[in-house]
Amino acid sequence: METIDKLAWIEIKDGLILSTRTKGRTKFYFPGGKREADENDFSALSREIKEELTVDLIEKTVNYFGTFQAQADLHPEGVQVKMTCYTGSYTGTIQPAAEIEEVVWLGYADREKVSPVDQIIFDWLKEERLLK
């Protein structure tokens, strides 16, 4: 079974979670991406967040949140995505950049608008009363 290894930033404010939509896509995804050669999780995640949202993660505030796995969106059946998630503070103003067309704050009612792995995270956040 093929597994895609990704990193994601979990940013929750007032019971809503930050999500992004890539140009040409209809589903929303948590911001983040894949590591490049020789990158650790923080350097890869901070690079991706800077590229996608123009903000800088503050390294000393970044904490492991959890790892979740599900069928990879837009991939053949059986291809899984393993998403290692982190929280953390940032400096700057969040705005879409690079391939990101839209930045939104979603609540649990928006669950069907996100990828399968993000839906698992939505469910967990709802159970923990972190998501409206």
Side-chain angles (χ1 to χ4, degrees), residues 20-47:
T20 60
R21 187 175 56 77
T22 303
K23 293 175 183 168
R25 298 266 178 101
T26 56
K27 293 232 183 235
F28 290 90
Y29 302 86
F30 298 139
K34 298 178 187 173
R35 289 174 207 80
E36 292 182 356
D38 299 326
E39 280 186 318
N40 64 31
D41 284 8
F42 175 75
S43 60
L45 186 59
S46 61
R47 176 186 48 77

Side-chain angles (χ1 to χ4, degrees), residues 9 14 27 32 39 44 48 56 68 85-87 111 130:
W9 180 40
D14 300 326
K27 293 232 183 235
E39 280 186 318
E48 288 284 350
D56 294 300
F68 304 86
C85 302
Y86 292 88
T87 59
R111 183 182 180 277
L130 297 171

Side-chain angles (χ1 to χ4, degrees), residues 8-98:
W9 180 40
I10 303 296
E11 175 68 2
I12 300 169
K13 181 170 47 173
D14 300 326
L16 302 174
I17 190 163
L18 179 71
S19 197
T20 60
R21 187 175 56 77
T22 303
K23 293 175 183 168
R25 298 266 178 101
T26 56
K27 293 232 183 235
F28 290 90
Y29 302 86
F30 298 139
K34 298 178 187 173
R35 289 174 207 80
E36 292 182 356
D38 299 326
E39 280 186 318
N40 64 31
D41 284 8
F42 175 75
S43 60
L45 186 59
S46 61
R47 176 186 48 77
E48 288 284 350
I49 298 308
K50 180 71 168 180
E51 289 173 4
E52 294 179 356
L53 301 173
T54 75
V55 298
D56 294 300
L57 294 178
I58 302 168
E59 186 169 10
K60 67 182 178 186
T61 69
V62 174
N63 291 299
Y64 175 74
F65 180 80
T67 301
F68 304 86
Q69 188 164 325
Q71 168 66 38
D73 194 39
L74 302 176
H75 285 79
E77 187 66 34
V79 176
Q80 297 279 301
V81 63
K82 180 181 90 173
M83 189 156 352
T84 304
C85 302
Y86 292 88
T87 59
S89 300
Y90 64 94
T91 60
T93 302
I94 294 173
Q95 55 190 0

Side-chain angles (χ1 to χ4, degrees), residues 109-127:
D110 301 305
R111 183 182 180 277
E112 296 303 315
K113 297 178 182 179
V114 301
S115 71
V117 72
D118 290 7
Q119 289 180 4
I120 291 170
I121 298 167
F122 265 56
D123 292 344
W124 188 87
L125 291 170
K126 181 70 170 172
E127 288 175 21

